[in-house]
Amino acid sequence: MAMMLKISKVIENQIDEFLDLVSESGLIFKKAIDNYLKDNTEEFEARLERVIDYERKADELRLVVEKQLYMRTLIPENRGDVLAILENTDNVIDSMKHTLQQFSIERPDIPSKFDVLFNELTDSSIQSVEWLVRSVRAFFKDIKSVNDHIHKVGFYEKETDDIAVKLKTQIFADELDLSSKIHLRFFASSIESISDCAESVTDRLAIYTIKRMI
């Protein structure tokens, strides 16, 4: 029989709110990259500011939840697992924020011929974030479905890797100068790393899920 997580409705709602911020940040990130590729700087910067704001709110909310977990609920072992899930999920939104900030600072000159693959790379990487959010929600509400969601994270992480390889191959086969190629590779890797971060969280989540199912 699965071990129950005894958390209050208030904490459950706060965790939901935290996950909403992660999910919405992913959607904003995707639109921000599309704005950048279309040279819509004003919209891009506005979306960057929204992700920064969401990241700050997620940090604050995570700290509130952590404090309440220490004060009110859960045996220490379960509390540690929940805190680790929240802290590692928070790293994903940090990763999205840092990637957009690098775009804003370094302004990579991306030839339009690479727009489609950059958008596909972004979409796949953010899909992994969305399924991560669903995995974490299931951990608290429907433990039996967690592994189904984790499987999707793995699928999109692999898809993201494949698209990244294709994009980088095309970049280095192009007639761009070497410094431009290296610069574009950095940004492709930065977007790709978001899915790696999501998969890293689900690797831990899978272990915590097994512990609860024993």
Side-chain angles (χ1 to χ4, degrees):
M1 179 179 177
M3 182 167 51
M4 297 297 292
L5 275 179
K6 295 179 180 178
I7 58 176
S8 70
K9 190 66 181 175
V10 172
I11 296 177
E12 185 179 315
N13 289 340
Q14 288 171 332
I15 291 173
D16 264 338
E17 189 178 344
F18 170 82
L19 293 172
D20 286 344
L21 290 169
V22 178
S23 176
E24 289 178 31
S25 294
L27 297 175
I28 297 167
F29 179 92
K30 195 162 68 170
K31 287 185 175 294
I33 295 298
D34 188 56
N35 291 146
Y36 186 89
L37 294 173
K38 292 176 178 172
D39 294 324
N40 192 340
T41 304
E42 187 175 342
E43 283 293 321
F44 169 81
E45 293 294 339
R47 296 192 195 282
L48 167 58
E49 288 305 314
R50 285 182 67 189
V51 171
I52 291 172
D53 184 50
Y54 277 31
E55 190 271 341
R56 178 185 56 77
K57 289 177 179 175
D59 271 346
E60 293 172 353
L61 199 50
R62 175 177 58 79
L63 292 173
V64 169
V65 172
E66 289 180 356
K67 185 177 179 181
Q68 294 195 46
L69 287 174
Y70 270 110
M71 292 174 62
R72 297 186 181 183
T73 57
L74 298 182
I75 60 175
E77 185 179 7
N78 286 343
R79 185 172 60 205
D81 290 350
V82 172
L83 293 176
I85 290 169
L86 296 179
E87 287 170 0
N88 286 289
T89 303
D90 192 44
N91 290 339
V92 176
I93 194 169
D94 284 345
S95 178
M96 290 188 282
K97 182 190 78 172
H98 289 311
T99 296
L100 290 183
Q101 285 178 322
Q102 290 303 316
F103 269 93
S104 178
I105 294 167
E106 299 187 26
R107 300 282 175 188
D109 183 13
I110 301 176
S112 59
K113 70 180 83 172
F114 300 126
D115 284 1
V116 171
L117 280 176
F118 263 101
N119 271 324
E120 287 182 8
L121 182 69
T122 302
D123 182 65
S124 184
S125 200
I126 295 306
Q127 282 285 351
S128 72
V129 175
E130 180 56 32
W131 284 102
L132 164 66
V133 169
R134 296 185 193 193
S135 302
V136 176
R137 285 195 206 279
F139 182 79
F140 292 101
K141 297 179 178 179
D142 181 19
I143 190 73
K144 292 181 180 177
S145 69
V146 172
N147 286 328
D148 290 337
H149 299 315
I150 286 177
H151 174 75
K152 298 288 196 328
V153 176
F155 172 83
Y156 281 108
E157 192 277 336
K158 176 68 168 56
E159 282 284 298
T160 304
D161 284 351
D162 291 345
I163 297 167
V165 168
K166 186 177 179 181
L167 175 57
K168 291 173 187 176
T169 300
Q170 289 191 14
I171 288 170
F172 278 86
D174 200 83
E175 294 180 348
L176 293 165
D177 60 72
L178 182 60
S179 62
S180 296
K181 292 176 181 178
I182 293 171
H183 202 208
L184 294 183
R185 181 185 63 185
F186 169 81
F187 281 93
S189 294
S190 187
I191 295 171
E192 179 186 8
S193 70
I194 295 168
S195 68
D196 293 333
C197 197
E199 187 181 48
S200 176
V201 180
T202 54
D203 286 345
R204 292 168 176 260
L205 190 63
I207 295 171
Y208 303 146
T209 300
I210 291 170
K211 288 168 64 178
R212 283 192 58 200
M213 294 295 288
I214 294 174

